[in-house]
Amino acid sequence: MAQVSDHGGGVQSIEVPIPDNPLGHTLVYVVDTDRGPVLIDTGWDDPASWDTLAEGLTACGTSVAEIHGVVITHHHPDHHGLSGKVREASGGWIAMHAADAAIVRRTRENRPERWFAYMAAKLAASGAPEEHVAPLRETGTSLRRPSTLPGFSPALPDREIVPGELLTLPGRRLRAIWTPGHTPGHVCLHLEETHPAQLPGRGRLFSGDHLLPRITPHIGLYEDPDDATVTDPLGDYLDSLERVGRLDPAEVLPAHQHAFADAPSRVRELLAHHEERLTGLLALLSTPLTPWQLAERMEWNRPWDQIPYGSRSIAVSEAEAHVRRLVKLGRAEAVTGSDPVTYRAAV
């Protein structure tokens, strides 16, 4: 049975399962408008997830066919996966920030084997051992029907979410807040309406993965085979956190876990967490280390030898994002001539 919650004021949520994922589910929000219900995110593209979404919409007093539009917080498949199917069934539109829409277009246009080759080269440059890199190379050269791979044919959006502007939702005031970090085009959505339970604060915030009550989102690199720009995702995330904290919403409605209040307090916790992590990494860099070696030594939710293959690649990306932040702050530096590149604390 679909788990549905009524948040009041014409906002409900549906727990849409994510297959084989410790997060369990994505909270898909159903927002009433004068033109019909609008979804915020849609969930993972999986038959069981689709059935749950459809059942949940029925429990909310509507159906997939009645959806007026879909607003996507970011392009990841547990948020954008079912958007195309919802559009096919309803004729509704899909809206996304331009930076994430560009990723969707690139994903659809590039053959997956190019992506696997790119990731293999990136991991090798980070100091990953050959036994970790080899499966990526082998997968990239053995692909036969790339369009059938999950996540490689995401739906193209119809509308662009413009930061700072109200979305065109008749009868509602929903303003887009650009919050890059987790992805370059992540947006939070500020419902500028009095809280239905009169909680103190400024409306409600649909926070996607940007602000979660008990975990911090993955902050890795913005991967783009066609762009060699050295980005600073962690810097983007920290700046975005402070922006959201200043909004001071009465309640946060995140895409995972549960709704919560006191966003400024949670923002302070996350800022302190990342500063503590940067300080710990700086201590590790008293000896030159590759991003892979750094990831091996960082504190995760389990020992390194228990982290699955795919999660190790994600961990290395997060380690490198933190190193980039330290370099930008002048607290660390790349060791000249090292190959693969190593980093050390700045003298």
Side-chain angles (χ1 to χ4, degrees):
M1 290 291 293
Q3 298 297 310
V4 173
S5 299
D6 189 343
H7 301 274
V11 177
Q12 300 177 84
S13 64
I14 305 166
E15 296 183 5
V16 177
I18 311 171
D20 303 317
N21 189 293
L23 279 174
H25 60 265
T26 300
L27 290 170
V28 172
Y29 291 94
V30 186
V31 181
D32 293 340
T33 80
D34 291 347
R35 293 278 183 85
V38 167
L39 300 184
I40 296 178
D41 293 335
T42 56
W44 190 275
D45 185 4
D46 178 79
S49 303
W50 172 255
D51 290 346
T52 301
L53 177 63
E55 291 169 9
L57 287 169
T58 299
C60 290
T62 185
S63 68
V64 177
E66 295 179 54
I67 298 302
H68 175 57
V70 173
V71 182
I72 298 300
T73 61
H74 62 295
H75 72 87
H76 287 165
D78 55 323
H79 297 258
H80 182 45
L82 286 171
S83 302
K85 289 185 177 179
V86 170
R87 180 169 58 190
E88 289 172 11
S90 66
W93 44 262
I94 301 171
M96 183 182 288
H97 186 280
D100 273 19
I103 294 173
V104 167
R105 284 194 298 274
R106 186 173 69 241
T107 301
R108 292 172 62 93
E109 292 166 2
N110 280 333
R111 293 181 65 81
E113 51 264 46
R114 183 177 182 227
W115 173 256
F116 281 105
Y118 167 77
M119 288 305 301
K122 288 282 291 183
L123 282 163
S126 76
E130 178 58 25
E131 60 264 26
H132 187 87
V133 177
L136 281 172
R137 292 199 188 100
E138 293 164 5
T139 301
T141 56
S142 64
L143 291 174
R144 290 291 178 269
R145 299 177 63 196
S147 62
T148 64
L149 289 170
F152 278 94
S153 297
L156 285 168
D158 310 288
R159 298 185 180 184
E160 180 180 331
I161 296 175
V162 180
E165 293 190 3
L166 289 170
L167 279 74
T168 309
L169 301 184
R172 309 306 299 243
R173 287 186 59 84
L174 190 66
R175 192 177 302 276
I177 311 297
W178 185 35
T179 51
H182 185 54
T183 71
H186 191 291
V187 292
C188 292
L189 301 152
H190 190 200
L191 191 59
E192 299 177 340
E193 302 170 8
T194 302
H195 191 281
Q198 306 297 314
L199 294 181
R202 301 177 54 217
R204 291 184 279 181
L205 185 75
F206 299 100
S207 65
D209 280 1
H210 184 68
L211 192 61
L212 301 169
R214 288 182 282 120
I215 57 176
T216 183
H218 165 66
I219 308 297
L221 302 182
Y222 300 152
E223 303 289 8
D224 184 349
D226 300 315
D227 189 351
T229 303
V230 179
T231 56
D232 180 19
L234 181 56
D236 292 344
Y237 178 66
L238 299 176
D239 289 346
S240 301
L241 273 180
E242 293 184 343
R243 193 179 313 133
V244 163
R246 289 192 293 270
L247 281 177
D248 193 20
E251 187 175 31
V252 179
L253 301 173
H256 304 288
Q257 300 185 320
H258 55 79
F260 62 101
D262 198 358
S265 176
R266 181 60 181 145
V267 165
R268 288 193 296 271
E269 289 175 359
L270 289 167
L271 291 172
H273 162 77
H274 283 287
E275 180 55 37
E276 181 180 341
R277 195 159 215 204
L278 288 170
T279 300
L281 296 187
L282 201 57
L284 291 173
L285 292 175
S286 59
T287 301
L289 296 172
T290 66
W292 180 275
Q293 291 169 331
L294 190 59
E296 286 180 313
R297 291 160 174 78
M298 287 170 67
E299 184 175 332
W300 305 103
N301 60 1
R302 68 190 87 174
W304 182 257
D305 61 4
Q306 295 178 22
I307 294 178
Y309 174 87
S311 298
R312 290 189 179 192
S313 297
I314 294 171
V316 173
S317 179
E318 185 150 333
E320 193 158 358
H322 281 72
V323 168
R324 284 191 184 184
R325 185 66 188 152
L326 289 171
V327 170
K328 187 166 185 178
L329 293 171
R331 297 162 70 181
E333 60 189 7
V335 176
T336 304
S338 57
D339 184 19
V341 63
T342 59
Y343 295 88
R344 64 186 173 199
V347 179

